[in-house]
Amino acid sequence: MNFIFGSASGVGKCLYEIYKKNNQNVFGFDKDSSENTDMIIDLAKDFKLEGIRNILKKEKIDSITYCAGIQHGENIESVFNVNVISFIKIMNNIINNLDETAVCAISSVHAVATNFSNTSYAASKAALETAIKSYSTNPGSSYFYLLRLGATETNLLLENVNDVDKLKKSLPSGKLFKPENVAKLIFDINNKHKELFNGGAVQVDQGVLSQLSTE
C-alpha cells in the first residue's frame, strides 16, 4: 500500500492519481474531503493520530509520501503540527514495521533561505528535513528522502506569493513547475530508484535558491 498525506490537492492529488492509473494500491489522508481522500484528518488538531497509526500498522507499506503542509496556520503550533510534528509522531510509531519502504517528505526552499514573514514555516520545514536525515540513519531496509520544492504551481504557493507573475518572470523558464510532473518524479523514485536516495535531498526549484531570493 502507498500512503499519501495531503492527497486532496497539489502534488499529493497528482501522485494519488498516478498510483491509481498504474493499478497500485493507494490510500490518501487529508483534512478536506475529495475523490482522493480515504480518511479525513486534521493534522493541526488531531494530536493522538490513533486512526492513522492503526491503518498504517495493518498494511504492508510500500511508500509514504508526506505532502501535508501549511504556511500560515492559526498559530505557530498548528504550523509545526502539520508540517513536521505529526510526521515525527507517525514515523516513531511505525518505523519498526517498515520494510523496503520509500518515505518521501515534501520540503521547501524556505527551509534553506527565507524572509522574516515566513519564519515559522521555514523553521518547520527545516525541522522536517532534519527529521528525514535522522530517520535515514536508522538501521533497516527502508529509504528516507526529501524533495525540496520551489516554483511549483500548488495552492500553497498561489495563496502565499504576492506577485505570481513577478515570480514567473524571475525564473529561467518563465513558468512554474506543474505538480503532476513533480508527482511523476516521486512515483519513479519510490518505484525504481529508492535505494539511491536514502538520506538525500532532491531540489526542484528552477534556480530559485541560486538567485538568493525567495518570496
Side-chain angles (χ1 to χ4, degrees):
M1 180 69 75
N2 299 282
F3 292 97
I4 301 171
F5 291 86
S7 60
S9 63
V11 174
K13 174 180 180 292
C14 295
L15 183 60
Y16 188 104
E17 293 170 353
I18 291 171
Y19 277 116
K20 281 288 189 182
K21 183 178 179 180
N22 284 272
N23 297 314
Q24 295 190 27
N25 293 327
V26 62
F27 192 99
F29 300 94
D30 204 285
K31 67 181 180 62
D32 296 323
S33 176
S34 76
E35 293 181 355
N36 303 328
T37 304
D38 297 291
M39 179 176 179
I40 295 175
I41 185 83
D42 188 346
L43 297 174
K45 299 175 180 178
D46 192 331
F47 303 111
K48 294 183 179 180
L49 306 174
E50 290 293 341
I52 291 175
R53 290 196 292 262
N54 290 337
I55 291 173
L56 292 176
K57 287 184 176 181
K58 290 179 181 179
E59 301 283 349
K60 167 67 173 69
I61 304 174
D62 299 303
S63 73
I64 297 174
T65 306
Y66 197 81
C67 303
I70 57 174
Q71 194 155 346
H72 302 289
E74 294 180 4
N75 48 46
I76 293 175
E77 287 77 12
S78 63
V79 172
F80 271 80
N81 283 338
V82 174
N83 292 354
V84 61
I85 292 175
S86 290
F87 174 75
I88 291 173
K89 286 183 176 180
I90 293 165
M91 295 311 307
N92 283 352
N93 277 273
I94 67 167
I95 193 165
N96 292 329
N97 299 93
L98 302 182
D99 181 27
E100 296 289 325
T101 304
V103 181
C104 173
I106 303 295
S107 184
S108 166
V109 291
H110 286 281
V112 180
T114 190
N115 53 52
F116 178 76
S117 65
N118 286 307
T119 301
S120 299
Y121 177 73
S124 68
K125 287 298 187 178
L128 178 65
E129 293 197 4
T130 300
I132 282 288
K133 293 174 185 177
S134 177
Y135 287 126
S136 72
T137 67
N138 184 64
S141 59
S142 292
Y143 312 94
F144 296 81
Y145 71 99
L146 64 95
L147 207 65
R148 187 181 295 136
L149 290 188
T152 305
E153 194 173 350
T154 62
N155 290 341
L156 188 64
L157 180 141
L158 297 176
E159 291 168 0
N160 290 283
V161 170
N162 293 328
D163 191 336
V164 175
D165 288 334
K166 179 182 177 182
L167 173 60
K168 290 180 180 179
K169 290 176 182 177
S170 72
L171 300 172
S173 67
K175 57 186 178 182
L176 301 174
F177 284 128
K178 295 296 184 182
E180 53 264 35
N181 292 331
V182 177
K184 289 176 183 177
L185 173 63
I186 297 171
F187 180 82
D188 284 343
I189 292 175
N190 287 354
N191 280 277
K192 301 176 183 178
H193 309 294
K194 60 187 179 183
E195 295 87 353
L196 299 176
F197 287 91
N198 188 47
V202 181
Q203 190 162 300
V204 181
D205 77 332
Q206 290 219 63
V208 168
L209 285 182
S210 299
Q211 298 180 82
L212 299 179
S213 63
T214 64
E215 184 176 357

